[in-house]
Amino acid sequence: MDANEPVAQAESRYQVRRPQRADARRNFDALLDAARHAFANDGANASLEGIAREAGVNIATLYRNFPTRGHLFEAVYLDEVEALAKMAAELGDRHPWDALVTWLTQFVSYATTKKAVYDAIAHNEAMFVTCRDIIHTAGRPLLERAQAAGLARTDVSFDDVLFLVNGISGTNFVVEAQRERVLTMALDGIRTPHSTPTD
């Protein structure tokens, strides 16, 4: 990707293309949801037959939408990135700290999906560069707004925050509640000392 190419133009090349018909779109979205959970729980080798079954469709419907496992990997990954960008736009009116925490909590889900499929689609470097730019464009203003409100430390960069949350996402916790507790502890480290979430 040309370094000077606007993110919006690059983003248009990497979007999930949903079917036009409502019933076909429902099947498509059900397959994405089932695949997201399967990859997060079972890794990149999750059963495609199991994904189709979980989505309530037959395997032929899965292959009609995603001819190869690679197509499914990319669609799931891109769908997560689109969801992050959409959520960031919807959080503009929320309390600055609450908006940042809500978005980073969603980011944990994205990072878990990325970990599951990264090796399978790592060849698509241009897509990853574009998605990284989309994520930064979406999430950085949330951190900056919290910093401007005096709720987040100003010596923390957006990259610092992503490294922190990525580390939590990549850890195998015994139970999901433990991941949530550790994330809360990590976010306390980002918050300005003596501030509270409702300041």
Side-chain angles (χ1 to χ4, degrees):
M1 185 183 71
D2 186 336
N4 296 318
E5 183 180 21
V7 171
Q9 285 185 332
E11 182 179 358
S12 69
R13 291 190 288 137
Y14 297 108
Q15 290 181 331
V16 178
R17 309 297 181 186
R18 285 174 164 79
Q20 294 296 314
R21 282 185 16 240
D23 58 338
R25 190 163 57 248
R26 281 194 299 272
N27 288 340
F28 186 94
D29 287 338
L31 284 165
L32 283 184
D33 286 340
R36 181 181 301 110
H37 293 132
F39 294 148
N41 293 328
D42 304 323
N45 293 320
S47 164
L48 296 184
E49 290 80 4
I51 290 171
R53 186 165 53 251
E54 181 66 24
V57 303
N58 58 45
I59 192 66
T61 300
L62 185 150
Y63 281 120
R64 185 162 56 250
N65 284 282
F66 310 103
T68 68
R69 185 179 287 264
H71 286 97
L72 182 57
F73 286 151
E74 290 190 6
V76 168
Y77 178 72
L78 291 171
D79 192 55
E80 288 280 285
V81 172
E82 289 176 11
L84 279 171
K86 181 179 179 183
M87 174 178 276
E90 293 172 348
L91 290 170
D93 295 331
R94 292 273 288 274
H95 181 275
W97 181 256
D98 182 47
L100 178 63
V101 170
T102 299
W103 190 83
L104 288 173
T105 300
Q106 178 69 25
F107 183 88
V108 170
S109 173
Y110 151 80
T112 301
T113 299
K114 180 181 177 182
K115 178 186 174 187
V117 304
Y118 181 81
D119 288 341
I121 55 177
H123 63 279
N124 197 338
E125 183 179 355
M127 183 186 72
F128 279 115
V129 170
T130 297
C131 289
R132 182 194 64 201
D133 290 344
I134 293 169
I135 288 168
H136 277 247
T137 299
R140 187 185 292 112
L142 297 176
L143 174 62
E144 291 173 348
R145 196 157 67 93
Q147 289 172 325
L151 300 172
R153 292 167 43 176
T154 56
D155 62 340
V156 171
S157 73
F158 187 65
D159 279 332
D160 293 338
V161 174
L162 293 191
F163 276 122
L164 181 67
V165 179
N166 265 317
I168 295 169
S169 303
T171 301
N172 294 320
F173 290 96
V174 177
V175 293
E176 191 59 31
Q178 186 180 31
R179 186 189 307 275
E180 294 171 3
R181 289 197 304 273
V182 173
L183 177 61
T184 299
M185 292 165 58
L187 293 179
D188 282 344
I190 297 171
R191 194 163 61 212
T192 304
H194 310 303
S195 71
T196 63
T198 55
D199 281 350

